[in-house]
Amino acid sequence: MALRFSSGDVSGFKLLLILAVTYGLIAMLVDSIIHMHFIKPLEIDAPLDRFSEARAVEHVRVLAQEIDGRQEGRPGLREAAQYITAQLEMIKERAGSNFRIEIEETVVNGTFNMMFLGHSISLGYRNHTNIVMRISSEDSQDSDPSVLVNGHFDSPLGSPGAGDCGSCVASMLEIARLIVDSGWIPPRPVLFLFNGAEELFMLGSHGFMKTHKWRDTIGAFINVEASGTGGPDLVCQSGPGSWPSQVYAQSAIYPMAHSAAQDVFPIIPGDTDFRIFSQDYGDIPGLDIIFLLGGYFYHTSYDTMERLLPGSMQARGENLFSIIKAFTKSSKLQITHERESNISTANQYEEGHAVFFDYLTLFMIYYTRKVAMLLHSIPIAIFLAAPVFSKKQTPGLLSWFSTFCDFAKGLIFHATGIFLAIVFPIIFSILRLLFTSHAMHWFAHPYLAYLMFIPCSLVGMLIPRIIWSSFPLSQDAAGLKSLKEALSDEARFWGAFGLYAMLTLAYLFAGLSGGFLTFLLSASMLPGWVSYCLSIKSFGRQSLRSPLFYMLPILPCLAYSVYFGGFLIQFMVEKMGMMGALPPPYGFFIPDVVMAAIIGVVTGWCVGPLIPICGHWLARSSILQVLLHLSVLGLALSSQFFPYSVDAPKRVVFQHSFLTADANQVVDSSYDFSVLDSNSLLFLFKHAPDVAKELHINSESSFETAKTSHRENWMGLFPVSFLFSRSLKFPARSDGILKQYRQFPHLSTYEPHTVFSGGSRRIYLELSLGSLEEVWVSVLNITGPLSSWSFADNTLPATETADGGPPSYICRLSGASPENWTFWLEASSSEDLKVEVAVIDQYMVDEAKQLKGLFPEWVDVVAYSGFLSSYIF
């Protein structure tokens, strides 16, 4: 049977096609921007007064390829420090007499408490290496305010660390060279801190801020980080105060920043050195600049030089050099004492975060919090005043009220549409998971998420327009069809405008910085409305040209919405592989539901401003059927795709566990596995048959029949271990480790207990790491009546409770030394103190290496040996 469409359907499909082409072209532009296609990297023979990505990549090659592992406990970390120092010495030799260059390699030790991933923890460290270079003019003073550029050269477990953070070190080395070879003599000193212990929870930066002689001279800092292998080098955090973001806005050559990132950053698992300098120990104004794309490879063995996104380091280098220049020239650059005593600086901090964003990396828009208070209040004022200027028939308060009621109805209808635009994709995602055995089909294929969720999101957005095709006006327009249509259009438009105006104001009063997006939407809709009204006079309300004239003035804002939203979606897709595995039954659904909701929100702000006018053509049953069919097609297609690939690997943690009773005895040994997303270990073993065969797993295996690896087995990774769920363990042999090591980690007393008059007692303990060769970290889990200890200035952190167990105190110890760790614990009573020790060693026996090698290429395995022991005192 032939399909029959009315003229209205034909016009609707034409408009839908126009919108699809328009958004498709914008999406292509955005894709080229966020993947840095517009940046041309300079070659290795580029002029010496220019930053060259190729020269920087050569440093990455040495750090990530020639050096075998830059993890704490491995020889490669020392080799990296030697390479960096040698490069800095070469730069110093080339410098002219008008430069004053100082290079220091320092060893830092310390202990402190902190909150990480929402958990309280104490940290003790020793013998971590920092390398500091200070470039200044020949007549500079040691007390001059300086600009610090910080990056870390250590890498996480099992990762070559090309992006995180070999790219940071390489950029810093190239900029240090550029300062010297370009002949630019900084008017204020520039410090480069290459810190060697960031992955162990910001220990290198803490050591610098607590002990280094130049720490009080720092007037501003730039923290360079990588949460991926390239893409926009985004300013994710700025402050305290608005001055750092202002400097960035004025000086960045390729601006990539938006203040909304500061609203989102706290929910992402992880942290950076930014908090040490600006919040915990410094209160220094600064910027946190991070590579965010390529998150598939972050903290994996795939973080290699080949994965670096071309153009990213070039843009970063040119930006950093320009920003460093701007900071050193600023009159607001002050040493710590001046900053603390300066009233104007204190007032600037009280202003809070500014509002800023880049437009497609072309330019920056920046305004202070005070300006935002005024500017972001304008849309709501216009919304309240709009009924006065509407097409009402009679003037007067009653008529204003009836018009405002219509606008309020329009607001409710539009809000309902946006809400349904989020709910419909969520419903579709849940329905899909009810009929499939695994989640996250879109992980390696993000376009599937767009195909599945955007059409049904549009359906949700259009449903209120279909249900209320005849707008229930409060104003009297009886007998005047044209007036009724005009009033309906007006109510729908101003209702949508009012929603964005209210959201802008809500952002503002919530203290968030992302209100600029809804402000832009509401601001761009006004010229669109004027253009639409003028087009009606020329072409009539039923002409397809009228909605096109409405679209034209809004296009720049829509382009930004797609840029912002597309980047957010890509970032979140990549991060979903490491967000953690939540317990069943709901954990299986969480990633798909989150992605569906995010795509619904992005669709709402990208298409929502068009709906009040374009909805007249699009809200037709035939169009909704097509959109629903597209979503169903996306759901059907997605089931044919595997969630993972070499370019989007699944993350697995493999711990070869050894339970020891003393320095020489292994009581038990097991292979413990966990995953970091919602597809469980059983899914993994099903698609990794060689591993399943080696572990004697058959098709009938289930979580009920398998042996669970409890959270205490993963104490060495605390608090990252809280991202694990439904971990499993399998029996393993221990003879290989007995051949490798003569002694295992063990805890003992080194002098008699001290008993105080009040009944409390002090226990003096010594932790030996035995003959382990590549120790990453040691973790103490202490339960019982602990009242004080020798760590963190005798200050206990808040207690932690896991899986209903007793409250405990956690302390992480790191740093190589021939000496044992010695410390004391004080108990408030004679009740027993229980101390559990977990030590992570990067050496693995041959059997474990062979098992790791059986995993397919689409799996990234972080593997290590874990030594567990328990003591009562």
Side-chain angles (χ1 to χ4, degrees), residues 77-295:
L77 188 61
R78 183 63 204 154
E79 293 174 26
Q82 293 171 346
Y83 174 79
I84 293 167
T85 302
Q87 293 298 311
L88 297 179
E89 291 290 351
M90 290 171 57
I91 294 170
K92 181 178 180 179
E93 290 175 5
R94 300 221 308 261
S97 59
N98 48 359
F99 284 98
R100 178 186 174 189
I101 297 182
E102 301 160 84
I103 301 170
E104 290 189 0
E105 183 173 312
T106 60
V107 175
V108 294
N109 309 277
T111 177
F112 64 105
N113 296 331
M114 75 181 306
M115 291 291 294
F116 189 79
L117 297 182
H119 296 276
S120 186
I121 190 170
S122 187
L123 302 164
Y125 62 95
R126 62 187 181 184
N127 299 334
H128 290 310
T129 300
N130 284 340
I131 304 165
V132 186
M133 182 188 208
R134 187 177 188 263
I135 303 179
S136 59
S137 62
E138 58 179 338
D139 57 352
S140 67
Q141 305 297 315
D142 287 344
S143 59
D144 288 346
S146 59
V147 177
L148 173 72
V149 183
N150 173 72
H152 67 92
F153 63 88
D154 63 321
S155 59
L157 280 174
S159 175
D164 181 24
C165 210
S167 65
C168 311
V169 172
S171 299
M172 291 165 62
L173 288 172
E174 175 66 1
I175 289 171
R177 179 211 61 78
L178 178 59
I179 292 175
V180 169
D181 287 345
S182 67
W184 175 68
I185 302 174
R188 310 281 182 81
V190 178
L191 301 179
F192 291 93
L193 170 59
F194 301 86
N195 90 67
E198 189 272 349
E199 298 293 353
L200 293 163
F201 299 176
M202 291 81 70
L203 303 183
S205 55
H206 176 268
F208 176 87
M209 289 303 299
K210 295 296 287 186
T211 63
H212 203 277
K213 63 182 180 181
W214 290 325
R215 68 186 186 276
D216 290 330
T217 70
I218 302 171
F221 75 93
I222 304 168
N223 183 56
V224 189
E225 254 294 0
S227 186
T229 55
D233 202 22
L234 196 73
V235 175
C236 289
Q237 298 182 90
S238 170
S242 58
W243 173 56
S245 54
Q246 184 181 21
V247 170
Y248 181 90
Q250 293 170 347
S251 59
I253 296 173
Y254 304 105
M256 291 171 272
H258 45 75
S259 49
Q262 297 179 135
D263 303 335
V264 178
F265 191 83
I267 69 172
I268 304 299
D271 221 324
T272 73
D273 286 321
F274 178 88
R275 66 176 285 182
I276 299 295
F277 297 119
S278 73
Q279 299 165 5
D280 295 353
Y281 294 94
D283 202 33
I284 304 171
L287 300 167
D288 199 16
I289 304 180
I290 308 177
F291 279 158
L292 288 181
L293 290 190

Side-chain angles (χ1 to χ4, degrees), residues 219-491:
F221 75 93
I222 304 168
N223 183 56
V224 189
E225 254 294 0
S227 186
T229 55
D233 202 22
L234 196 73
V235 175
C236 289
Q237 298 182 90
S238 170
S242 58
W243 173 56
S245 54
Q246 184 181 21
V247 170
Y248 181 90
Q250 293 170 347
S251 59
I253 296 173
Y254 304 105
M256 291 171 272
H258 45 75
S259 49
Q262 297 179 135
D263 303 335
V264 178
F265 191 83
I267 69 172
I268 304 299
D271 221 324
T272 73
D273 286 321
F274 178 88
R275 66 176 285 182
I276 299 295
F277 297 119
S278 73
Q279 299 165 5
D280 295 353
Y281 294 94
D283 202 33
I284 304 171
L287 300 167
D288 199 16
I289 304 180
I290 308 177
F291 279 158
L292 288 181
L293 290 190
Y296 287 128
F297 317 116
Y298 174 64
H299 283 201
T300 74
S301 60
Y302 291 99
D303 184 8
T304 59
M305 188 181 76
E306 293 76 21
R307 298 288 184 178
L308 295 176
L309 201 59
S312 301
M313 291 179 68
Q314 186 68 42
R316 164 183 275 181
E318 294 185 28
N319 274 350
L320 284 177
F321 191 44
S322 180
I323 297 165
I324 290 169
K325 285 183 173 181
F327 270 130
T328 58
K329 294 176 182 176
S330 175
S331 60
K332 296 181 179 180
L333 192 71
Q334 300 172 323
I335 63 175
T336 301
H337 175 71
E338 293 174 344
R339 200 165 52 245
E340 291 174 349
S341 61
N342 193 317
I343 297 176
S344 62
T345 303
N347 291 338
Q348 183 191 72
Y349 286 5
E350 291 176 2
E351 288 180 3
H353 294 297
V355 176
F356 55 89
F357 57 95
D358 70 281
Y359 186 80
L360 308 182
T361 73
L362 297 174
F363 56 86
M364 281 281 290
I365 296 175
Y366 168 93
Y367 46 93
T368 65
R369 194 78 181 175
K370 287 183 178 179
V371 173
M373 291 291 288
L374 174 63
L375 203 60
H376 289 191
S377 300
I378 293 175
I380 199 70
I382 293 175
F383 175 66
L384 295 175
V388 177
F389 306 99
S390 74
K391 300 172 183 178
K392 58 186 182 298
Q393 293 171 285
T394 56
L397 182 62
L398 184 60
S399 182
W400 176 91
F401 181 74
S402 61
T403 303
F404 182 78
C405 287
D406 287 338
F407 290 3
K409 292 176 185 176
L411 187 154
I412 294 171
F413 291 168
H414 194 73
T416 303
I418 298 296
F419 175 74
L420 294 177
I422 300 169
V423 170
F424 269 47
I426 291 175
I427 293 173
F428 269 65
S429 70
I430 294 173
L431 289 175
R432 186 186 70 83
L433 292 176
L434 292 176
F435 297 97
T436 185
S437 60
H438 53 273
M440 298 173 60
H441 289 86
W442 39 262
F443 183 63
H445 318 281
Y447 57 86
L448 287 176
Y450 292 105
L451 182 59
M452 285 189 291
F453 300 136
I454 289 180
C456 61
S457 180
L458 292 174
V459 170
M461 207 179 308
L462 291 170
I463 278 181
R465 186 64 183 252
I466 291 180
I467 295 177
W468 291 291
S469 56
S470 179
F471 194 88
L473 292 168
S474 300
Q475 304 168 78
D476 184 14
L480 297 172
K481 182 180 178 181
S482 60
L483 178 60
K484 185 174 182 180
E485 290 177 348
L487 293 175
S488 296
D489 282 348
E490 189 178 57

Side-chain angles (χ1 to χ4, degrees), residues 532-566:
Y532 175 69
C533 291
L534 293 175
S535 68
I536 287 175
K537 294 180 180 179
S538 301
F539 308 112
R541 196 174 302 277
Q542 301 305 317
S543 171
L544 197 57
R545 298 178 183 178
S546 297
L548 297 181
F549 272 88
Y550 174 74
M551 279 178 55
L552 285 175
I554 306 180
L555 273 179
C557 179
L558 296 181
Y560 181 78
S561 297
V562 174
Y563 168 67
F564 185 97

Side-chain angles (χ1 to χ4, degrees), residues 518-699:
T518 49
F519 172 76
L520 281 179
L521 292 177
S522 55
S524 66
M525 288 174 70
L526 292 175
W529 176 246
V530 172
S531 176
Y532 175 69
C533 291
L534 293 175
S535 68
I536 287 175
K537 294 180 180 179
S538 301
F539 308 112
R541 196 174 302 277
Q542 301 305 317
S543 171
L544 197 57
R545 298 178 183 178
S546 297
L548 297 181
F549 272 88
Y550 174 74
M551 279 178 55
L552 285 175
I554 306 180
L555 273 179
C557 179
L558 296 181
Y560 181 78
S561 297
V562 174
Y563 168 67
F564 185 97
F567 179 82
L568 175 64
I569 291 172
Q570 184 63 35
F571 171 74
M572 291 303 297
V573 165
E574 294 176 356
K575 287 300 179 188
M576 279 298 162
M578 57 171 290
M579 295 296 277
L582 296 175
Y586 305 113
F588 179 68
F589 296 88
I590 294 298
D592 282 77
V593 167
V594 168
M595 282 311 307
I598 290 174
I599 291 178
V601 170
V602 171
T603 304
W605 81 49
C606 289
V607 183
L610 302 182
I611 294 301
I613 304 303
C614 298
H616 171 71
W617 283 266
L618 298 176
R620 297 179 177 275
S621 59
S622 56
I623 291 179
L624 262 63
Q625 289 178 35
V626 169
L627 293 174
L628 286 173
H629 282 128
L630 283 174
S631 282
V632 172
L633 176 63
L635 296 177
L637 280 176
S638 68
S639 63
Q640 305 303 311
F641 287 83
F642 195 67
Y644 307 101
S645 69
V646 175
D647 296 323
K650 181 175 180 62
R651 297 168 186 261
V652 174
V653 183
F654 169 25
Q655 175 177 282
H656 190 183
S657 303
F658 300 96
L659 181 62
T660 61
D662 53 37
N664 308 101
Q665 183 181 3
V666 176
V667 177
D668 189 21
S669 176
S670 64
Y671 294 139
D672 294 64
F673 294 93
S674 196
V675 294
L676 284 168
D677 63 35
S678 61
N679 286 317
S680 70
L681 283 168
L682 293 184
F683 162 86
L684 173 67
F685 295 141
K686 176 182 177 182
H687 295 279
D690 292 340
V691 178
K693 181 179 179 182
E694 182 71 16
L695 296 174
H696 305 292
I697 300 171
N698 56 47
S699 58

